[in-house]
Amino acid sequence: MKHQSILLFFLVFIAIACKNPEKENPQSNNVITSDVINFWNAYDHIVTTQDSVLQYNYLDSLYFKKGTVGLEGVRQVRNYTAQDYIEAINNYPKFWNSIRENTLEAPKVSSKLQVGIEKLKTLYPELKPAKIYFTIGTFRTPGTTIDSLVLIGAELAMGNPNTDTSEFPENISHLKAYFATNPNKNLGFLNIHEFVHTQQKPRVNNLLSSVIYEGVAEFVTVQALNQPSPNPQIEFGKNNAERIREVFEDEMFYVANFGKWLNSNESNEFGMRDLGYYVGYQICENYYNQAEDKQAAIKSMIELDYENESIIEAFVQKANYFSTSLNELEQSFESKRPTVIGIEQFENKSQNVNPSIKAITIKFSEALNGYHTSVDLGNLGREAFPKGTLNGRTWAEDNRSWTIPVELEPNKTYQIFITNNFRTPDNRPLKPYLIEFKTR
C-alpha cells in the first residue's frame, strides 16, 4: 500500500506539472507583460545612483537582457537606445511616478483584449494569430508592429489625464493632449488597430499608401468593435473634410510633406497632427459604403497589395474620395514643380566645355528656399563627379540660381545630378535634372 500511495502521489504530481497552461489561462501565451515588470525593477535600481556606468549596467542586465522578443522588436522599430532610456529616466521622474501604477495593470487587461480579437475574427475569419507584448519605451509609440507581433508602448498607451507631463520639453509636449484623450481606457481599440496591421501586406514609401494603410486599421477596428474611434483626428477630419481633402490632394505627392500628415509634430494649417489617419479612414469608409458585400470589402481592405499600383488606384477610384483621378492630381503636382532652366557657363550635354571653368551656375525657373542643398552622383558614379570645395557653394541673392566651384580635367565626361532635395519656400520639390558634359 505504501508503494501504491507513493506511485499515486507521483502520478498526480506529474499530471499537475504537465498541465497545459494555455487551457488554464488562454491568454498567457498571447499577451506578454514581463517587460513591464522588468523595466520597473531596472528603474528602481537606476534611480538609486548617479553613476552613469552603474545606470547603464542596471538597464542592460535587468531590462534589455531579460527582455522578450517584443522588447527587441519595439527597440528596433523605434530605434530606442540605452541612452534614450537613461535620459528619460533621469529627466522625467514626475512622469514615471505618475505612470507606474497604470502600467503595472497590464497583466489584468489580457481578457479584455481577447474579446476584441474575437470580434475582429468574426469580421475577418481569415485572421492569423499574433502575440501582444506590453513594453516600456521612451515616448515614440503607444503601439506598433513588427512581423506578427503587436507591440504596446505602455508608457504612452496606459496614460490618462493625470499623467504628469510638466517636465517634458517642447518636442514631446504634444503628449499632454494625447494623455487627455484617456488612452488607458482605449487599450482594446489600440490593440485591434495594431492587430490589423499584423494582417496587412507591407506598405510602400509614399504618403497615399501610408494613409490608406493606417486608415484600414482604424476603420476595420471601428467596425469590429462597433464603436467610434477615440482618436480626435477622425472627428476633426469629419468636421473639416473638404479643406483637408483639398490640402491633401495638393501635398500627397510631396515626399517632404510626409510629416505633416503622419507620426510627426510638423506644423500644418489645421493645428492637428496625424490627419493622414482621417484621410485614410475616409477613403476606407467611402469604399465600404459603396460595396454590396461588406465582409468582402473588409477582406479587400485588409489584404490590399500596396506594391501593386493598379490595385491601389482601383481601390481609390472605387472609394471616390478625391475630386478627380490620381493621374490628373499627379499631373497637377508635376505642373507646379520648379525646374532647372539652364546652366550659365554652357549648354547641358555640351561636348566641348572649357576645362578652365572654375564654377558651374545652375538656373531655376523660380526662387527656391536658399538652403545649402547637396547634389548627387549620376549613373557614371563618383569618377564622373567634378572635384571642388563644399564651402564655395553659394546662392544668388534672388535664390534663382546656385553656384558650385569645380576643378575640371581635359577630355573627360562629367555628371552632376540635381535632386528633388531642392525646394521652393512652400516645399514644392524640384524636378530632378541630370547635368552631363564633356571637356575639350
Side-chain angles (χ1 to χ4, degrees), residues 11-28:
L11 291 174
V12 171
F13 175 82
I14 292 296
I16 293 173
C18 295
K19 196 172 185 178
N20 187 343
E22 290 188 15
K23 292 182 179 179
E24 183 70 18
N25 181 2
Q27 313 323 318
S28 62

Side-chain angles (χ1 to χ4, degrees), residues 282-301:
Q282 193 61 62
I283 291 172
C284 292
E285 184 176 66
N286 287 9
Y287 179 87
Y288 182 83
N289 288 341
Q290 61 81 41
E292 293 184 6
D293 187 333
K294 303 301 185 187
Q295 189 159 23
I298 294 293
K299 177 178 169 66
S300 294
M301 288 184 211

Side-chain angles (χ1 to χ4, degrees), residues 307-327:
E307 295 179 346
N308 190 321
E309 289 185 8
S310 61
I311 288 177
I312 297 301
E313 288 176 5
F315 177 78
V316 171
Q317 185 176 352
K318 281 188 177 182
N320 196 30
Y321 172 72
F322 296 116
S323 61
T324 187
S325 69
L326 287 178
N327 184 53

Side-chain angles (χ1 to χ4, degrees), residues 149-283:
L149 309 181
V150 174
L151 311 173
I152 303 298
E155 85 284 5
L156 296 184
M158 303 191 77
N160 62 28
N162 295 322
T163 303
D164 193 331
T165 61
S166 61
E167 302 157 314
F168 283 1
E170 181 64 27
N171 66 311
I172 54 173
S173 61
H174 66 279
L175 291 176
K176 181 176 182 179
Y178 170 71
F179 291 135
T181 66
N182 227 332
N184 198 35
K185 301 288 186 183
N186 300 307
L187 278 171
F189 192 97
L190 171 66
N191 177 65
I192 298 304
H193 177 105
E194 300 301 336
F195 210 101
V196 172
H197 282 326
T198 67
Q199 312 297 304
Q200 293 175 283
K201 292 180 171 66
R203 55 181 154 182
V204 296
N205 188 30
N206 67 61
L207 183 56
L208 178 59
S209 290
S210 292
V211 301
I212 293 173
Y213 180 86
E214 293 295 348
V216 166
E218 194 78 358
F219 182 78
V220 169
T221 302
V222 166
Q223 297 304 306
L225 300 181
N226 193 27
Q227 70 174 73
S229 168
N231 297 312
Q233 291 83 2
I234 307 304
E235 183 178 359
F236 182 92
K238 294 282 188 182
N239 293 332
N240 299 273
E242 184 173 353
R243 179 57 184 161
I244 290 173
R245 178 184 54 75
E246 289 174 355
V247 177
F248 188 81
E249 285 182 347
D250 189 52
E251 295 186 351
M252 74 168 140
F253 296 105
Y254 295 23
V255 175
N257 283 342
F258 207 101
K260 287 186 177 181
W261 295 95
L262 287 172
N263 306 323
S264 170
N265 291 325
E266 190 173 335
S267 62
N268 59 46
E269 70 173 74
F270 304 102
M272 170 71 71
R273 58 176 279 151
D274 295 338
L275 282 172
Y277 282 76
Y278 159 70
V279 173
Y281 180 94
Q282 193 61 62
I283 291 172

